[in-house]
């Protein structure tokens, strides 16, 4: 046989081997999905034992990310549902429902019969009808080792007035997915994007669906114009004029075998309903001006009182073939759709200090006391220079100026009225993080949880902050957390960890075990440590950071 014949035979042999391997992987993938479905059914059987509504005052919820946080349309309450937690060895998924009473500063755990299965990275939207309805679609369930995923395509509604869950079954809806985005538009839910991942492959979406809240029917939309490329974890908000803004997000593609390259999108699109043509929509690409956010994923979004979109935090990834370095962020940005312009969110500082300075003695410089004057000196501002590659290949050089610290430990400002507090304590603010949960109620922004990474360790947070968006003075900490106090278990191959079903997704086999496990992780220590903003990304964050907070919530009172 000649060389050509040998090569052809060798090629056919390689194709057969690849086909066999593909078939084997497909069977394994199918079995893994069946195993996850069995585990979900197991936890649903536990939930089925709950036959009455039980409301229990409790400590703040345990650390989690990719949950949903919504503001009640009528009451002074925030509603937290679902989420995930990873302790280094096991993944915990939740379907718990917590209510935070803003006036009383108190948490209540609410157990309602027949809840949705445990999940994270779903979408939740609040509508005011019927005393308040919380609509939830999709999300994912993970195996205890965090390696395999089941993506939901179910739709649920929580009737807040009657404290009842209802699964709404309607054909023609989106496929199973995570990291999608959903908003309320008139009497419809509009859903965009997301992704689905299996053992073999993954797919990102840019499809668009509408769910009619009156007819309870799904329809797929086909807008004219060129829209966003497939992505997950993007910004999706409704403007005061009735248009829908899509910004940013994340996607990845395979560049060669077992090597994927991620893209942090920074483009923006406007989706408009065509006048006089019901069900017809059109895409338009827009190029906003102003202080644009740096490219990132895992950011969180809410709607500010003036109908501007608020963007917080996230993570900027520097990806190489087999390494991922993340720069976690805690900055605020606002997008004004009327002016088509981005603004950086700058805090003014507490006004109480201004009043104290005005009562100072004559002859002393305004805004300083004797202790402050003694031994103080100006410090040079710090300059951080970074290069980022945009989607079109353009290299963008970002020079970030970090203001010099004043005598009390805060950044100095050009406004002499904006200083530090008299005790010399640095300003309280959320640490850099991704996948946090945001909600707005009566002009106040509430931020809960999220994650950052320190080396190979993923730190999941349970702190709660509040910021008055009208005053924009300073953050208020409502629940503190010390990241150093969080349990972290190193990876092990021992057989002791193979019993993953028990306590893996939800805290335990029995309701008693589940409750005790939750309360143990729900205690919050004081004296939060400040993580560094530049950290080596851990083994799971390549997913967590990309589909973001799991809940880009747009509340019913964004105009207040």
């Amino acid at each position: 046989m000649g060389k050509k014949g040998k090569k052809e035979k060798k090629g056919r042999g390689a194709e057969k081997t690849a086909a066999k391997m593909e078939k084997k992987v497909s069977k394994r993938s199918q079995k893994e999905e069946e195993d996850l479905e069995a585990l979900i059914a197991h936890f649903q059987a536990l939930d089925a034992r709950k036959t009455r509504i039980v409301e229990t005052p409790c400590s703040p919820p345990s650390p989690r990310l990719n949950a949903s946080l919504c503001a009640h349309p009528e009451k002074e309450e925030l509603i937290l549902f679902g989420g995930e937690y990873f302790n280094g060895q096991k993944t915990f998924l939740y379907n718990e429902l917590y209510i935070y009473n803003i006036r009383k500063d108190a948490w209540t755990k609410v157990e309602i019969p027949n809840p949705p299965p445990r999940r994270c990275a779903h979408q939740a939207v609040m509508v005011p009808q019927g005393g308040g309805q919380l609509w939830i679609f999709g999300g994912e369930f993970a195996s205890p080792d965090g390696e395999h995923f089941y993506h939901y395509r179910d739709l649920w509604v929580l009737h807040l007035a009657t404290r009842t869950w209802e699964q709404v079954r309607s054909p023609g809806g989106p496929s199973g997915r995570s990291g999608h985005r959903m908003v309320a538009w008139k009497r419809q839910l509009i859903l965009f994007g997301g992704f689905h991942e299996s053992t073999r492959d993954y797919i990102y979406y840019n499809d668009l669906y509408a769910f009619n809240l009156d007819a309870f029917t799904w329809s797929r939309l086909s807008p004219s114009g060129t829209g966003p490329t497939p992505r997950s974890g993007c910004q999706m908000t409704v403007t005061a004029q009735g248009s829908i803004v899509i910004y940013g997000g994340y996607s990845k593609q395979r560049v060669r075998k077992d090597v994927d390259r991620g893209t942090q999108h920074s483009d923006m699109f406007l989706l408009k309903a065509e006048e006089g043509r019901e069900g017809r929509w059109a895409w338009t690409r827009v190029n906003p001006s102003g202080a644009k956010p740096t490219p990132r994923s895992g950011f969180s979004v809410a709607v500010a009182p003036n109908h501007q979109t608020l963007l917080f935090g996230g993570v900027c990834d520097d990806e190489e073939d087999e390494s991922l370095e993340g720069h976690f962020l805690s900055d605020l940005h606002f997008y004004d759709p009327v002016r088509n312009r981005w603004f950086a969110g700058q805090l003014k500082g507490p006004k109480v200090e201004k009043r104290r300075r005005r009562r100072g003695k004559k002859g002393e410089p305004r805004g300083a006391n004797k202790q402050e004057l003694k031994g103080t000196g100006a410090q040079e501002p710090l300059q951080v220079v970074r290069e980022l590659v945009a989607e079109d290949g353009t290299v963008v050089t970002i020079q970030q100026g970090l203001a010099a610290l004043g005598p009390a430990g805060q950044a100095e400002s050009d406004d002499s009225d904006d200083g530090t507090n008299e005790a010399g304590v640095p300003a309280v603010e959320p640490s850099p993080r991704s996948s946090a949960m945001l909600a707005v109620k009566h002009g106040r922004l509430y931020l809960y949880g999220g994650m950052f990474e320190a080396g190979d360790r993923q730190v999941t947070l349970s702190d709660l902050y509040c910021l008055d968006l009208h005053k924009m003075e300073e953050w208020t900490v409502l629940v503190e957390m010390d990241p150093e106090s969080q349990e972290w278990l190193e990876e092990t191959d021992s057989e002791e960890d193979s019993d993953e079903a028990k306590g893996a997704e939800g805290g335990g086999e029995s309701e008693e075990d589940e409750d005790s496990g939750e309360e143990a992780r729900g205690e919050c220590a004081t004296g939060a440590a400040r993580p560094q903003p530049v950290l080596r990304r851990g083994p799971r964050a390549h997913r967590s950071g990309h589909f973001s907070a799991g809940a880009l919530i747009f509340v019913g009172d964004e105009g207040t």
Side-chain angles (χ1 to χ4, degrees):
M1 183 181 294
K3 291 184 179 180
K4 185 176 179 181
K6 289 182 179 179
K7 287 182 179 180
E8 289 178 353
K9 186 176 180 181
K10 187 176 181 180
R12 288 195 297 269
E15 289 176 3
K16 289 181 180 179
T17 301
K20 289 180 180 179
M21 182 61 68
E22 179 74 12
K23 189 175 181 180
K24 185 182 295 185
V25 170
S26 177
K27 286 183 178 180
R28 185 168 67 245
S29 178
Q30 183 178 352
K31 184 178 186 305
E32 287 164 354
E33 187 163 308
E34 290 172 354
D35 291 343
L36 289 179
E37 288 176 347
L39 197 53
I40 293 169
H42 165 74
F43 287 120
Q44 284 186 291
L46 294 179
D47 290 332
R49 299 177 187 174
K50 303 170 184 177
T51 57
R52 60 190 181 91
I53 300 172
V54 178
E55 299 188 15
T56 308
C58 63
S59 57
S62 59
R64 62 193 65 198
L65 67 152
N66 294 318
S68 57
L69 183 67
C70 299
H72 196 295
E74 298 178 358
K75 300 180 180 180
E76 297 293 304
E77 295 177 346
L78 303 180
I79 298 163
L80 179 71
F81 173 78
E84 65 170 316
Y85 169 75
F86 180 61
N87 69 358
Q89 291 184 358
K90 292 183 181 179
T91 301
F92 296 80
L93 274 294
Y94 304 109
N95 64 344
E96 302 161 322
L97 185 72
Y98 288 94
I99 295 180
Y100 175 69
N101 188 299
I102 296 173
R103 291 188 181 275
K104 296 180 180 179
D105 187 26
W107 289 91
T108 301
K109 184 177 181 180
V110 183
E111 297 180 71
I112 300 175
N114 303 312
R118 291 157 170 80
R119 68 189 63 205
C120 67
H122 53 281
Q123 278 291 274
V125 170
M126 184 73 73
V127 297
Q129 284 74 20
Q133 297 174 348
L134 180 66
W135 288 84
I136 291 174
F137 177 84
E140 71 179 43
F141 181 86
S143 61
D145 60 8
E147 295 295 329
H148 310 294
F149 307 93
Y150 179 88
H151 297 265
Y152 295 104
R153 59 177 303 179
D154 50 355
L155 180 66
W156 294 77
V157 57
L158 172 62
H159 301 278
L160 295 173
T162 59
R163 293 284 204 266
T164 55
W165 283 107
E166 176 189 358
Q167 183 175 3
V168 179
R169 303 179 187 275
S170 177
S175 57
R177 63 188 65 195
S178 308
H180 50 289
R181 292 295 174 252
M182 187 169 73
V183 295
W185 184 85
K186 297 183 177 180
R187 289 292 296 154
Q188 297 182 77
L189 301 177
I190 307 297
L191 185 148
F192 170 79
F195 77 99
H196 182 283
E197 185 169 355
S198 66
T199 303
R200 291 185 303 160
D201 208 354
Y202 54 82
I203 181 172
Y204 284 79
Y205 301 105
N206 64 344
D207 47 2
L208 197 66
Y209 287 84
F211 180 79
N212 189 300
L213 292 170
D214 296 316
F216 280 21
T217 55
W218 284 105
S219 59
R220 181 164 181 172
L221 306 179
S222 299
S224 60
T226 302
T229 55
R231 64 192 63 193
S232 69
C234 59
Q235 165 194 319
M236 186 178 188
T237 51
V238 180
T239 70
Q241 294 73 34
S243 300
I244 296 175
V245 176
I246 299 290
Y247 166 75
Y250 177 87
S251 65
K252 64 181 179 180
Q253 60 182 6
R254 188 146 293 164
V255 293
R256 59 179 183 271
K257 186 177 180 181
D258 298 328
V259 177
D260 301 318
R261 177 176 297 161
T263 299
Q264 296 173 118
H265 300 279
S266 57
D267 47 359
M268 180 177 286
F269 295 83
L270 203 62
L271 178 66
K272 289 185 178 180
E274 297 183 3
E275 293 185 12
R277 304 182 66 184
E278 186 176 354
R280 301 292 297 174
W281 297 73
W283 285 113
T284 304
R285 180 160 182 171
V286 294
N287 295 302
S289 60
K292 302 177 184 179
T294 55
R296 65 190 67 193
S297 59
F299 54 80
S300 306
V301 171
V303 176
N306 51 7
H307 291 280
Q308 293 183 356
T309 298
L310 180 153
L311 183 151
F312 170 83
V315 58
C316 178
D317 289 327
D318 294 331
E319 290 194 43
E320 296 181 4
D321 287 354
E322 295 184 3
S323 67
L324 192 65
E325 184 174 320
H327 304 261
F328 288 81
L329 306 165
S330 60
D331 50 351
L332 278 171
H333 293 268
F334 293 87
Y335 173 69
D336 185 343
V338 175
R339 301 169 65 182
N340 190 27
R341 187 178 181 86
W342 282 102
F343 298 90
Q346 300 290 341
L347 301 187
K348 302 173 183 177
K351 283 187 176 180
V352 62
E353 295 307 316
K354 300 177 185 179
R355 292 195 294 269
R356 288 177 180 171
R357 291 187 187 123
R358 293 190 182 106
R359 292 197 294 268
K361 296 179 181 180
K362 292 183 179 180
E364 289 183 312
R366 190 173 173 216
N369 57 31
K370 293 179 180 179
Q371 282 81 11
E372 290 174 330
L373 289 170
K374 184 178 181 180
T376 60
Q379 297 182 27
E380 292 296 323
L382 303 176
Q383 296 292 331
V384 178
V385 179
R386 295 172 53 205
E387 289 188 350
L388 298 173
V389 180
E391 292 178 66
D392 59 2
T394 304
V395 178
V396 180
T397 300
I398 299 174
Q399 184 170 329
Q400 182 181 11
L402 302 179
L405 294 180
Q410 283 185 312
E412 293 178 344
S413 170
D414 293 336
D415 184 356
S416 60
D417 283 343
D418 297 333
T420 60
N421 58 44
E422 204 166 281
V425 178
V428 173
E429 62 181 9
S431 59
R433 67 189 67 194
S434 70
S435 304
M437 284 63 74
L438 300 184
V440 175
K441 184 68 178 179
H442 292 328
R444 292 180 179 270
L445 171 67
Y446 293 87
L447 182 151
Y448 171 78
M451 61 81 71
F452 69 91
E453 293 179 356
D456 290 333
R457 177 181 176 184
Q458 175 175 304
V459 180
T460 307
L461 302 166
S462 61
D463 45 5
L464 178 65
Y465 289 84
C466 176
L467 176 65
D468 189 323
L469 295 174
H470 294 295
K471 298 179 180 179
M472 287 294 290
E473 291 178 355
E474 61 180 342
W475 288 95
T476 301
V477 60
L478 302 175
V479 176
E480 290 184 299
M481 176 189 174
D482 179 9
E484 295 299 322
S485 67
Q486 187 172 111
E487 176 188 51
W488 181 258
L489 305 177
E490 297 296 334
E491 289 185 88
T492 176
D493 297 327
S494 66
E495 295 183 2
E496 294 176 356
D497 298 311
S498 62
D499 185 15
E500 294 169 327
K502 183 176 181 179
E505 285 92 1
E509 287 283 343
S510 67
E511 293 179 36
E512 292 80 3
D513 290 340
E514 180 176 312
D515 293 339
S516 62
E518 289 307 304
E519 291 189 8
R521 288 193 300 277
E523 296 175 357
C524 296
T526 59
R530 299 289 298 169
Q532 296 299 314
V534 181
L535 301 166
R536 172 64 57 178
R537 311 214 60 200
R540 283 179 39 78
H542 68 287
R543 308 197 68 258
S544 303
H546 294 159
F547 51 68
S548 185
L552 277 72
I553 306 306
F554 311 102
V555 298
D557 70 332
E558 57 264 42
T560 59

